[in-house]
Amino acid sequence: MNRVSAEVDQEEEQAKLLLTALFEKPDEPTLADPNDLLKRAMVLKRRSRFRYARQLLAHASRRDITDVSLRRRVGQQLALCTYKDPDLPIGDRLQRALEYLDHADPIATSVDPETLGIAGSIHKKHWEQTESLPHLELSVRCYRRGHEISMKLPLHPDSGYPGINAAFVLDLMANQLDIVGADGPRASADTTSYRDAAAKIRRELLATLGERPPQGAEQSWWYLVTMAEAALGVGEVDDARRWLTDARSVLQMDSESARWEYEATARQLAKLVQLRYQGSNAPLDRTPEWNAIAELLGGEGPGLRSTFRGKVGLALSGGGFRASLFHIGVLARLAEMDVLRHVEVLSCVSGGSIVGAHYYLLLRRLLEGKSDRSISRDDYVDLVQRLMRDFLHGVESNIRIRALAEFTTSLQLIFRPFYSRTRRLGELYETYIFSGVEGGRSKEPRWINELFIQPKDVSDPFNPRSGNWQRVNKVPMLVLNATTLNTGHNWQFTASYMGEPPNTIDREVDANERLRRIYYPDAPDPYKRVRLGHAVAASACVPGLFEPFTLPDLYVDDDRSGAARTVRLVDGGVHDNQGIASLNEQDCSVMIVSDASGQMTTQNQPRGDNVGALTRSSSISRERVRVEQFRDLVGRRDAGLLRGLVFVHLKKGLDAIPISWLDCKEPPDIELLGKSARWDRTTNYGIRKDIQRLLASVRTDLDSFHEVEAYALMLDGYQMIEHELRDCVPELEASKATTDWPFLKLRHAMSHAGDDDTPAQHDLLRLLRVAERVPFKVWKLPSITLLLACVASAVVVVLLLVVVRNLIGNVRPAANADWMTYLGTLTRWVGSGLFGLMVASAVWGGARIFGFRESLSQVLTGVGLGLVGVVTWPLSRLHLHIFDKVYQHRGKLDRLLNAEGQGQQNIGPSRPTEVAAS
């Protein structure tokens, strides 16, 4: 640990001790001196420790401060730390910040540029969250008033702060009105006047502060970059380059706060350049402004492109192994296009969490094993190839059957407190999937709190928030999303913490309690470390199929009586099946959303009973959430809050065809029907529409998938993301190189749309029609192999009966006893065994009730599932070793290709658009 990190940790520990003392003795004057609390808070604020700074300032603000200047200063800093504190809900913290500020120095009448500047920042943040132009207007007013006042006061190096921000927000206003357009609700506004006002302020700053620099300005970072931004905004690029060269020479990059200032300034300048070239097709990396910002960053490099590109987030949706396999195809194409190296946030749900955690483990080995500059595109391609191979091998083990009906697992369900099939599921993920990272099937547990990535060429403890932007290969933050049954909120597992994120909660409409984030070192003893498999299992815990993941004795109960509440988690898809909320929370400006969730389908004859109406209504509600999330993302992109958006899903490119009523004499509306619905048989990314509909219907389960199913889903994600990502964000530097992926062998069968289907396509369609089923899939596959399997199964059953007959032969009632007698004896034996298990379970269940505060229904559920598992485990083994093998053999890729002698050569054209064109 370096000196700066040690100092930060020491400051945090001192702040915690002081806050504890203030909580116990709030009126102790020696503890609550406002001046002392303000000084401590300022140190923490410079280190971006806003939570502790805010709490100290809140204590200071409660004191009776007679010094007006000190009271205003405390209120300003309390408002600033409140609005920047990521541990508070975003809407709540912005509103509270304005209230704190207004209480300390009424904003409407304030003559303090600092107050007005903070108010302008808060309103600008409000606009970023709500896209509400009135907040942007309020921001402009506050900044402009602050600028006018500061120009009348004695000048100092920070005098240009309100003015330069006023100019920036004026440009934002002009850009927003351009987006609305001439026919929009604000058509009367003159965008030219906003841009002229911005230029006037910048020229005034250059004239006032440039010709008569305040004392100490030559060594002031903020003065120099303010002048550089003013020059850049009016097109004086050479002067801007000179100011930025001076700024770089005075900044000492030996503290976290300095690194934050460096990055924030570069991003502000990049955004200004983007606003200036809005609507232009000129590549930004060929503009003189690009070269000027490069001067600040010490030349062209990863930091420069990161500054213009923004923060890239990748969301992997839920949807069982179907989603996992689709996501692998997406990852394959992103690796090929050399985009994966730019991802800074990986938000995963359910099936996306399974493959996302596996990918993260492989990436961790890569980033810790090779230096940043030595990692190439091919390393990411090799990584995804290994991911694909190991993951498919793990999927073929049929994790669902192993979790539901294993003999040892079933016994543990009866006799182990708080053990469930969900926990077993997590252990199986580690054994059959994640252990492949080391090339074996290790049973050693993995702990998510130990999964920090420390890049090979970084000596100090690496912080992705401050260190990523200047790296070529970003260190992503892994977020595994679950849903809390206690509150209905999103629950996150990361390497740093677990708990409910504040930014997804809107206090205006949600008054439920929030289970605060817990950083693992501060957690109760049993939770100082959490198994990775358990976190993934909680994210993929499908309600009704698996029991909720239980975290007992983690939070205090409502009455504060010393009792503890139990947290229960279910599938993250219940709250947000796309993982979009976590990308928003992390301020991602480029979002790539891979959505392979189970979308609602049309039903010609929906069920009319209560259960059918209930389940259908639940599907409608989930679909509405998904649609509204997508619309919100599009709105944020159109408002300029997102630099880029890619959203792929399994029904992309399919047609929503209007249906005519009975005896309709009116011809169909060609505009509504769409040309593609009538004539085109392939999507614009090169997949036949009938095959795409079948892929959208593939089961969202955790059972085994054969090669054709897996590779078809991978190819679908691969071609879809390639089509959608093309030219999305120029600064992504997408490569056009391709790789010989095994799933590309299916391209011809999935894209060819001739008059007659080939034998391989006939077989592919048969396999995909069966793929939507969960039980008895193998019985729907006509094959001689299946017939042989049935014969083999019958032989096994006969052999079992013979063994049973021999076992009970000594208790034969009579010489002429028939099979019914043997069956009766066997039934009595089984009944006696089950009765004994039930008695033992009841005794142990009582202990669970009184010793572990589990409800009777939960005990009975665990006992019932355990007994069912004990009885049915022979059948599960039969399924795993015979029927699963038959199903996987029937779905071998080579078998399908050999149906028409295609072999290896029919890989198809190199780009999906060529397929569509053919």
Side-chain angles (χ1 to χ4, degrees):
M1 181 178 294
N2 65 354
R3 178 181 58 81
V4 173
S5 299
E7 290 176 356
V8 171
D9 289 343
Q10 185 178 6
E11 290 161 3
E12 286 189 5
E13 288 303 319
Q14 291 176 353
K16 290 179 185 178
L17 293 173
L18 181 55
L19 287 169
T20 301
L22 286 169
F23 180 78
E24 296 173 350
K25 298 179 180 180
D27 298 324
E28 177 63 41
T30 58
L31 293 175
D33 177 65
N35 270 304
D36 180 60
L37 293 177
L38 177 60
K39 291 177 182 177
R40 289 175 179 269
M42 293 299 289
V43 173
L44 290 165
K45 189 194 81 167
R46 284 193 293 270
R47 306 295 191 192
S48 300
R49 285 359 184 221
F50 297 110
R51 178 171 55 146
Y52 299 119
R54 171 181 59 81
Q55 294 179 44
L56 291 174
L57 290 165
H59 280 284
S61 68
R62 297 190 186 103
R63 314 274 33 133
D64 184 16
I65 306 176
T66 57
D67 186 337
V68 176
S69 176
L70 177 60
R71 184 168 62 247
R72 183 189 307 121
R73 180 70 170 158
V74 168
Q76 289 170 345
Q77 294 305 310
L78 175 58
L80 185 64
C81 292
T82 299
Y83 112 78
K84 287 183 173 293
D85 185 0
D87 289 323
L88 293 176
I90 181 66
D92 189 35
R93 77 189 197 213
L94 294 176
Q95 186 59 41
R96 286 168 60 181
L98 285 174
E99 292 172 358
Y100 291 144
L101 191 62
D102 201 52
H103 178 73
D105 185 16
I107 299 171
T109 58
S110 176
V111 293
D112 189 332
E114 179 75 8
T115 295
L116 295 170
I118 294 173
S121 299
I122 296 171
H123 283 298
K124 179 170 171 284
K125 191 68 175 179
H126 256 302
W127 167 74
E128 292 175 356
Q129 296 300 313
T130 63
E131 306 166 38
S132 173
L133 282 177
H135 276 299
L136 212 53
E137 292 174 338
L138 288 171
S139 178
V140 169
R141 291 179 194 173
C142 292
Y143 277 135
R144 293 186 77 168
R145 279 179 52 210
H147 168 64
E148 292 167 0
I149 293 170
S150 65
M151 291 294 100
K152 298 175 183 177
L153 298 174
L155 298 179
H156 56 84
D158 291 342
S159 293
Y161 169 77
I164 201 64
N165 281 285
F168 182 81
V169 178
L170 283 166
D171 277 340
L172 273 179
M173 283 289 297
N175 181 64
Q176 290 301 297
L177 296 180
D178 280 341
I179 291 173
V180 171
D183 298 327
R186 304 188 59 83
S188 60
D190 186 2
T191 59
T192 303
S193 65
Y194 284 116
R195 292 193 172 96
D196 289 345
K200 180 180 178 181
I201 291 174
R202 291 184 178 115
R203 293 193 182 280
E204 184 177 355
L205 290 174
L206 289 171
T208 303
L209 298 177
E211 295 176 2
R212 293 179 287 109
Q215 184 177 2
E218 294 80 2
Q219 296 301 314
S220 169
W221 163 264
W222 288 117
Y223 168 79
L224 295 170
V225 296
T226 296
M227 301 306 293
E229 183 177 341
L232 202 64
V234 296
E236 297 176 2
V237 181
D238 291 338
D239 288 342
R241 184 182 292 110
R242 176 174 56 83
W243 289 111
L244 292 175
T245 301
D246 293 342
R248 179 175 173 81
S249 65
V250 303
L251 186 66
Q252 301 296 322
M253 296 290 293
D254 60 350
S255 69
E256 188 173 338
S257 58
R259 290 192 292 269
W260 172 83
E261 292 169 356
Y262 192 45
E263 179 184 0
T265 299
R267 292 193 185 279
Q268 173 94 343
L269 295 175
K271 181 64 177 177
L272 177 61
V273 173
Q274 291 165 359
L275 290 174
R276 285 180 55 80
Y277 284 90
Q278 186 75 28
S280 171
N281 294 324
L284 294 181
D285 56 359
R286 298 178 186 174
T287 61
E289 289 86 350
W290 176 284
N291 295 328
I293 299 176
E295 198 71 37
L296 174 69
L297 303 180
E300 290 210 25
L304 183 60
R305 291 197 173 271
S306 294
T307 297
F308 278 86
R309 179 177 55 245
K311 195 173 186 178
V312 180
L314 173 61
L316 304 179
S317 78
F321 281 152
R322 178 184 80 177
S324 302
L325 296 166
F326 179 86
H327 298 328
I328 290 176
V330 170
L331 293 170
R333 189 55 185 149
L334 291 177
E336 237 178 27
M337 299 175 78
D338 208 18
V339 172
L340 273 185
R341 69 169 77 238
H342 304 304
V343 173
E344 296 189 51
V345 181
L346 187 60
S347 175
C348 309
V349 183
S350 194
S353 293
I354 305 171
V355 72
H358 192 187
Y359 166 77
Y360 182 85
L361 291 171
L362 290 168
L363 181 63
R364 182 169 180 254
R365 292 194 69 190
L366 173 63
L367 297 179
E368 292 185 346
K370 299 184 70 172
S371 63
D372 189 35
R373 296 287 180 174
S374 66
I375 297 175
S376 68
R377 163 195 170 275
D378 291 341
D379 289 312
Y380 283 90
V381 171
D382 292 342
L383 185 154
V384 178
Q385 284 179 328
R386 180 171 180 179
L387 170 70
M388 176 181 60
R389 182 178 61 252
D390 292 349
F391 195 87
L392 184 55
H393 182 68
V395 167
E396 289 175 347
S397 65
N398 203 327
I399 289 177
R400 176 173 62 84
I401 290 294
R402 294 180 185 277
L404 293 178
E406 278 192 336
F407 185 77
T408 55
T409 303
S410 301
L411 291 178
Q412 291 183 75
L413 287 173
I414 299 173
F415 296 108
R416 274 187 63 184
F418 297 112
Y419 192 77
S420 65
R421 293 178 302 172
T422 304
R423 289 184 179 269
R424 177 56 180 163
L425 196 67
E427 295 163 6
L428 292 172
Y429 292 147
E430 292 185 3
T431 301
Y432 288 93
I433 297 180
F434 303 154
S435 62
V437 174
E438 278 78 29
R441 290 288 174 256
S442 171
K443 294 186 179 181
E444 290 296 319
R446 296 172 179 273
W447 308 100
I448 190 171
N449 52 291
E450 296 177 357
L451 293 186
F452 289 101
I453 295 178
Q454 181 63 34
K456 182 179 180 180
D457 47 359
V458 178
S459 57
D460 297 333
F462 184 77
N463 183 352
R465 285 184 177 274
S466 59
N468 252 341
W469 75 291
Q470 289 188 298
R471 284 184 57 84
V472 178
N473 303 279
K474 312 303 183 187
V475 175
M477 174 185 183
L478 176 67
V479 184
L480 304 178
N481 296 280
T483 303
T484 318
L485 288 181
N486 305 61
T487 62
H489 297 152
N490 175 221
W491 177 282
Q492 296 175 338
F493 289 98
T494 73
S496 300
Y497 57 79
M498 62 179 174
E500 296 180 352
N503 283 359
T504 60
I505 300 171
D506 189 342
R507 288 299 184 189
E508 289 294 321
V509 294
D510 183 359
N512 285 350
E513 297 171 317
R514 175 171 63 90
L515 303 178
R516 293 174 55 190
R517 282 176 173 166
I518 305 174
Y519 291 84
Y520 299 114
D522 300 329
D525 287 338
Y527 300 104
K528 290 190 181 296
R529 59 180 188 170
V530 174
R531 287 187 70 164
L532 173 64
H534 287 168
V536 172
S539 177
C541 178
V542 180
L545 183 59
F546 297 101
E547 304 92 320
F549 187 80
T550 304
L551 299 171
D553 300 339
L554 184 55
Y555 288 87
V556 295
D557 210 344
D558 307 87
D559 57 6
R560 306 280 177 169
S561 62
R565 71 177 70 185
T566 294
V567 176
R568 300 194 191 280
L569 306 176
V570 294
D571 194 299
V574 175
H575 184 274
D576 172 18
N577 207 17
Q578 285 66 46
I580 294 170
S582 293
L583 297 187
N584 279 327
E585 185 206 8
Q586 295 300 322
D587 295 323
C588 293
S589 55
V590 178
M591 294 191 187
I592 304 172
V593 182
S594 177
D595 179 15
S597 60
Q599 298 180 37
M600 191 180 70
T601 59
T602 301
Q603 291 183 357
N604 293 341
Q605 301 292 337
R607 290 171 54 185
D609 58 283
N610 291 342
V611 175
L614 178 64
T615 56
R616 186 63 173 172
S617 299
S618 177
S619 298
I620 293 172
S621 297
R622 289 196 301 271
E623 187 66 13
R624 293 305 305 160
V625 170
R626 177 179 172 275
V627 171
E628 290 305 318
Q629 281 186 315
F630 174 71
R631 288 177 177 171
D632 177 67
L633 288 181
V634 172
R636 294 175 65 80
R637 180 197 62 192
D638 293 343
L641 296 175
L642 290 181
R643 178 86 171 116
L645 171 64
V646 178
F647 196 110
V648 296
H649 58 90
L650 284 171
K651 290 192 175 181
K652 197 168 192 69
L654 299 183
D655 308 295
I657 302 175
I659 304 299
S660 300
W661 58 91
L662 287 175
D663 301 324
C664 176
K665 302 299 190 294
E666 181 179 322
D669 191 328
I670 297 299
E671 293 300 321
L672 290 177
L673 187 62
K675 178 181 177 181
S676 62
R678 176 165 289 189
W679 291 287
D680 291 350
R681 295 179 59 188
T682 60
T683 62
N684 55 6
Y685 47 89
I687 301 295
R688 277 180 35 165
K689 291 182 178 179
D690 55 346
I691 291 178
Q692 188 61 50
R693 290 189 183 92
L694 291 174
L695 291 174
S697 299
V698 172
R699 64 197 179 279
T700 56
D701 202 356
L702 298 175
D703 63 347
S704 61
F705 280 61
H706 55 61
E707 281 186 351
V708 171
E709 290 173 323
Y711 287 154
L713 288 164
M714 292 178 194
L715 178 63
D716 195 40
Y718 175 90
Q719 297 205 170
M720 201 183 294
I721 197 70
E722 194 262 358
H723 179 269
E724 295 298 317
L725 190 63
R726 200 178 306 154
D727 301 327
C728 169
V729 181
E731 289 78 27
L732 281 177
E733 308 169 273
S735 169
K736 296 183 180 180
T738 57
T739 304
D740 188 17
W741 303 96
F743 53 75
L744 291 180
K745 298 174 185 177
L746 273 176
R747 180 175 271 170
H748 180 78
M750 291 178 62
S751 62
H752 177 69
D755 293 334
D756 297 316
D757 290 338
T758 65
Q761 286 176 315
H762 278 297
D763 201 25
L764 175 63
L765 290 169
R766 280 199 300 268
L767 292 171
L768 293 182
R769 289 189 185 105
V770 173
E772 68 175 341
R773 301 180 64 89
V774 177
F776 310 118
K777 296 183 297 294
V778 68
W779 303 99
K780 294 295 181 178
L781 294 175
S783 170
I784 187 63
T785 310
L786 175 60
L787 178 61
L788 293 175
C790 294
V791 173
S793 301
V795 172
V796 170
V797 171
V798 171
L799 291 175
L800 287 174
L801 291 174
V802 171
V803 171
V804 170
R805 181 180 183 279
N806 290 332
L807 287 175
I808 63 175
N810 294 329
V811 294
R812 187 184 310 172
N816 59 349
D818 56 13
W819 279 103
M820 290 301 295
T821 305
Y822 291 121
L823 185 59
T825 304
L826 178 61
T827 303
R828 288 193 295 273
W829 281 30
V830 172
S832 300
L834 290 178
F835 179 76
L837 284 173
M838 290 177 65
V839 171
S841 302
V843 173
W844 191 262
R848 294 181 73 176
I849 293 172
F850 297 107
F852 302 97
R853 293 182 297 280
E854 287 274 53
S855 69
L856 179 60
S857 63
Q858 291 160 357
V859 172
L860 294 178
T861 299
V863 172
L865 291 173
L867 292 176
V868 170
V870 168
V871 173
T872 60
W873 74 267
L875 296 178
S876 69
R877 287 295 163 182
L878 182 68
H879 180 86
L880 286 173
H881 296 298
I882 296 181
F883 296 115
D884 243 13
K885 300 302 182 186
V886 171
Y887 188 70
Q888 291 164 18
H889 175 78
R890 180 62 180 82
K892 286 290 184 182
L893 180 61
D894 290 341
R895 188 180 187 282
L896 180 138
L897 297 179
N898 290 334
E900 59 183 14
Q902 288 184 335
Q904 298 285 337
Q905 70 272 19
N906 265 333
I907 294 179
S910 61
R911 296 179 67 83
T913 50
E914 296 174 2
V915 177
S918 65

